[in-house]
Amino acid sequence: MSTTKRTAHVAASLLLPIISGLGWAEEEKSDPKSGQSAVSTAPASSATPAGTAATLEYGPHPVGFALLKSVDSSRSFPSAEGPGFRGRPMRIYTWYPALSNGWPLQTVGDFVRMAGDDFRLSGGRDASRGTDNRLPVQLVKGLDEVQLSALLRRPLRSINGAEAAQGPFPLLLIGQGLYYESPLSQVYLCEYLASRGYVVATCPLLGTQYRLVNRNVEDLETEVRDIEYVLSTVHSRPDADPHQLGIIGYDLGGMAGLILAMRNTDVDAFLSLDAGILFPNELGLPDNHPDYRVDRFRIPWMHMTQARFVDAGREDKSLSFLSDRKRFGDSWIISVPTDCHGQFSSYAKFGIRRAVPGYWGPIADSVEVLHDAMCRLAGDFFDAVLKQVPAAADRLRAAASGADRDLHSVEYKKGAPPAASPRLLIHMITEKGLAEARPVIDRIKSADPTAKVLDEAELNWLGYHFLLWWGREAEALDLFRLNVELNPGSADAYVGLGEACLVLDRTDEAVAAFRKALELKPDFPEVKNLLERLTEQK
């Protein structure tokens, strides 16, 4: 990909134009889209003509809403009351299936005023409007006074404080994105998914030590930890199913969601929205995060993004799509016919058509239709993966086969069924012994002789713990033998086996192991010297 194309991709996902600082920025969400080698592709038509009605059919559940104000005392943040630091403020927005319909419904204005407190950590007034709550830049600059007044009176679908329906319902967590930091930017998607029977929770995007969010590993990790805090808080809700967990991430939130999916085996499905994770970018994010491990990305994934980025990436043969490198779990890449990053957010539903400097150019009349289609596809993805709804799975197959070609180009790649996680196998060996894990290992190797069952270095390290520190010497020998079996071309694996044999006074076996290590790695002076001493002693 040319430098221009690479830069364009990063700009949409992380390097959006610099914000002028007037008011607080909101975050947006996007469509499902997953990167991979396409098994089937449905070509995208042009965007729906202006004037086409947007119809988003909500699910059967009334929607309740709750805002929980909390503090993460394990982390610090500048205090609004004076100099110094205090616990990190956490504002957890939750939408959920409610028991029954009721009134009053929240309005957009209610939500805007509530979300205005997300970033007013030091007080202040919007003197230009005579109100204590500053309005989002996108609304102030994107709408005239009449349009803005009408929007703020528009009812949403949720009822603040409504009684929760009896669950359990799958839990979905959302990571917000740069320049669209407020949950306001995903309010329509959140309400829609809650109406389809999900508990949906999120929090504002806030920098590590101040409001500004930097494009670096530290602030990426901060968002991951924020999502984990939301999970720990909402996990105990009686209406939330702790065994069904999905992650949604927009922009930087997509990077945070990917890292969380790679390090938390409880995550069952991942939806990313116009996030810079499909192929590497100049920032190095999220690849330079210490928990970025493609081999640990083992769940169904849907990635929605602007079609131009997919097309440009496919043209550059030097780029490796994450979907192509991802081995386990099905993947979908949804190419959305838009060049507007804000398309993947609730701002597509707010009636904004003006260009807003620092965010987007003039918006097409079709944005609402596109956003509704993305919401439906997101709902089908989670219904098919988390709830195992056959009709939703059929709709996903139809989209991938070309039957749904009005709005999206869909690339689908079927992933291999994930084998047992290496981390779980290490835990099983540690707690119950190798005899318990051995049948699982044998089944994996039988199904796929090329599969990497366990990490050589981790298994070697565990073997030394058994051998030297945990008093499990006999088991240690079996672990080192397993390491040699799984890595027959590794000199280090044979060295570990030789040392275990020495500790257990099995000198002949130790000598044989060290000789094999030297065959594989002749330039191994430490082993050569050790072998000479053993031979002399013998």
Side-chain angles (χ1 to χ4, degrees):
M1 172 179 283
S2 67
T3 301
T4 301
K5 289 177 179 177
R6 289 177 186 269
T7 303
H9 175 73
V10 177
S13 60
L14 280 179
L15 300 179
L16 291 174
I18 304 226
I19 293 183
S20 59
L22 299 177
W24 48 273
E26 310 273 295
E27 169 165 359
E28 306 194 26
K29 277 247 181 221
S30 115
D31 290 4
K33 162 187 167 186
S34 300
Q36 310 150 338
S37 53
V39 172
S40 54
T41 301
S45 68
S46 59
T48 304
T52 302
T55 55
L56 184 59
E57 306 82 10
Y58 282 76
H61 299 279
V63 180
F65 172 81
L67 171 62
L68 173 65
K69 302 174 185 178
S70 181
V71 173
D72 183 356
S73 299
S74 70
R75 294 181 287 167
S76 62
F77 197 80
S79 173
E81 286 74 37
F85 291 80
R86 57 181 172 85
R88 182 174 179 83
M90 297 296 302
R91 291 167 58 86
I92 301 173
Y93 289 68
T94 307
W95 295 260
Y96 52 88
L99 195 59
S100 62
N101 283 305
W103 294 92
L105 293 173
Q106 291 191 106
T107 65
V108 173
D110 293 333
F111 209 91
V112 166
R113 285 186 288 274
M114 174 174 52
D117 289 333
D118 290 344
F119 306 108
R120 292 178 60 251
L121 304 176
S122 300
R125 289 175 58 85
D126 182 357
S128 66
R129 293 184 177 273
T131 175
D132 287 335
N133 293 302
R134 292 170 290 180
L135 295 173
V137 167
Q138 298 97 313
L139 300 186
V140 173
K141 294 189 174 184
L143 300 170
D144 61 31
E145 291 289 341
V146 174
Q147 292 170 327
L148 179 58
S149 178
L151 173 64
L152 296 179
R153 294 195 303 270
R154 182 194 298 179
L156 294 168
R157 303 282 299 201
S158 57
I159 306 158
N160 198 339
E163 185 176 356
Q166 184 174 359
F169 300 102
L171 178 58
L172 302 178
L173 305 178
I174 297 183
Q176 305 295 332
L178 282 173
Y179 318 132
Y180 300 87
E181 293 91 350
S182 170
L184 174 64
S185 61
Q186 294 303 327
V187 63
Y188 283 108
L189 177 62
C190 293
E191 289 188 337
Y192 175 71
L193 292 172
S195 78
R196 290 184 63 155
Y198 295 90
V199 175
V200 186
T202 187
C203 65
L205 175 60
L206 199 63
T208 303
Q209 295 292 357
Y210 35 68
R211 177 187 164 182
L212 176 68
V213 181
N214 294 295
R215 300 181 293 268
N216 56 29
V217 171
E218 180 183 28
D219 279 16
L220 175 59
E221 171 63 15
T222 291
E223 182 166 19
V224 176
R225 290 192 62 183
D226 282 348
I227 299 173
E228 290 174 333
Y229 185 91
V230 173
L231 172 60
S232 67
T233 302
V234 183
H235 193 268
S236 60
R237 286 180 60 101
D239 57 342
D241 186 348
H243 303 297
Q244 291 185 301
L245 175 62
I247 301 294
I248 303 172
Y250 171 64
D251 191 86
L252 184 68
M255 295 186 176
L258 178 61
I259 296 301
L260 187 59
M262 288 177 169
R263 80 186 192 189
N264 188 335
T265 56
D266 287 339
V267 178
D268 302 302
F270 175 46
L271 167 64
S272 49
L273 305 173
D274 216 30
I277 62 175
L278 194 55
F279 45 78
N281 58 62
E282 283 85 349
L283 292 175
L285 295 172
D287 307 46
N288 55 1
H289 189 284
D291 285 325
Y292 185 87
R293 290 273 301 273
V294 176
D295 62 301
R296 292 181 177 175
F297 189 22
R298 308 162 66 86
I299 59 176
W301 170 44
M302 178 172 279
H303 182 63
M304 300 186 189
T305 195
Q306 299 173 51
R308 58 186 174 131
F309 298 140
V310 180
D311 295 341
R314 290 297 184 198
E315 288 176 10
D316 189 341
K317 302 305 181 184
S318 68
L319 291 179
S320 173
F321 275 38
L322 176 59
S323 52
D324 297 332
R325 290 177 281 130
K326 178 177 180 285
R327 181 177 182 185
F328 299 108
D330 294 352
S331 302
W332 292 260
I333 299 179
I334 314 300
S335 296
V336 182
T338 182
D339 59 0
C340 178
H341 189 54
Q343 173 68 67
F344 301 85
S345 77
S346 292
Y347 287 96
K349 300 273 287 180
F350 288 158
I352 299 172
R353 297 294 179 270
R354 293 178 176 176
V356 179
Y359 291 92
W360 55 66
I363 300 178
D365 289 335
S366 60
V367 291
E368 194 166 351
V369 175
L370 282 174
H371 188 269
D372 288 351
M374 290 188 282
C375 288
R376 282 192 292 269
L377 200 51
D380 285 342
F381 171 67
F382 287 117
D383 278 358
V385 174
L386 297 183
K387 296 182 179 180
Q388 302 292 306
V389 177
D394 289 342
R395 288 191 290 270
L396 288 183
R397 280 191 290 270
S401 66
D404 179 15
R405 60 182 62 208
D406 290 337
L407 296 177
H408 309 290
S409 170
V410 180
E411 295 183 20
Y412 170 71
K413 175 188 172 185
K414 183 168 183 60
S421 164
R423 288 175 288 178
L424 293 179
L425 285 175
I426 290 289
H427 177 73
M428 184 184 299
I429 294 170
T430 302
E431 300 302 323
K432 298 182 179 181
L434 179 57
E436 189 79 17
R438 186 73 214 209
V440 180
I441 295 172
D442 291 342
R443 284 196 297 270
I444 296 173
K445 294 298 290 184
S446 176
D448 182 2
T450 65
K452 184 177 180 180
V453 182
L454 290 164
D455 182 83
E456 178 187 345
E458 289 180 358
L459 187 56
N460 192 58
W461 183 232
L462 180 62
Y464 281 113
H465 277 73
F466 276 27
L467 180 68
L468 302 176
W469 302 304
W470 289 354
R472 299 168 69 173
E473 292 85 356
E475 290 179 89
L477 185 58
D478 290 335
L479 286 186
F480 285 112
R481 285 172 174 164
L482 174 63
N483 212 13
V484 165
E485 176 188 334
L486 297 177
N487 304 281
S490 170
D492 290 335
Y494 279 97
V495 171
L497 175 59
E499 291 185 338
C501 291
L502 277 183
V503 171
L504 297 173
D505 294 325
R506 304 169 77 106
T507 307
D508 289 344
E509 293 178 55
V511 169
F514 292 140
R515 284 176 175 167
K516 183 63 177 180
L518 285 177
E519 288 180 17
L520 294 170
K521 186 179 177 181
D523 185 18
F524 210 147
E526 298 88 347
V527 175
K528 187 178 297 185
N529 294 336
L530 179 59
L531 187 58
E532 289 176 354
R533 290 199 301 272
L534 288 175
T535 304
E536 290 173 0
Q537 292 173 4
K538 187 175 179 180

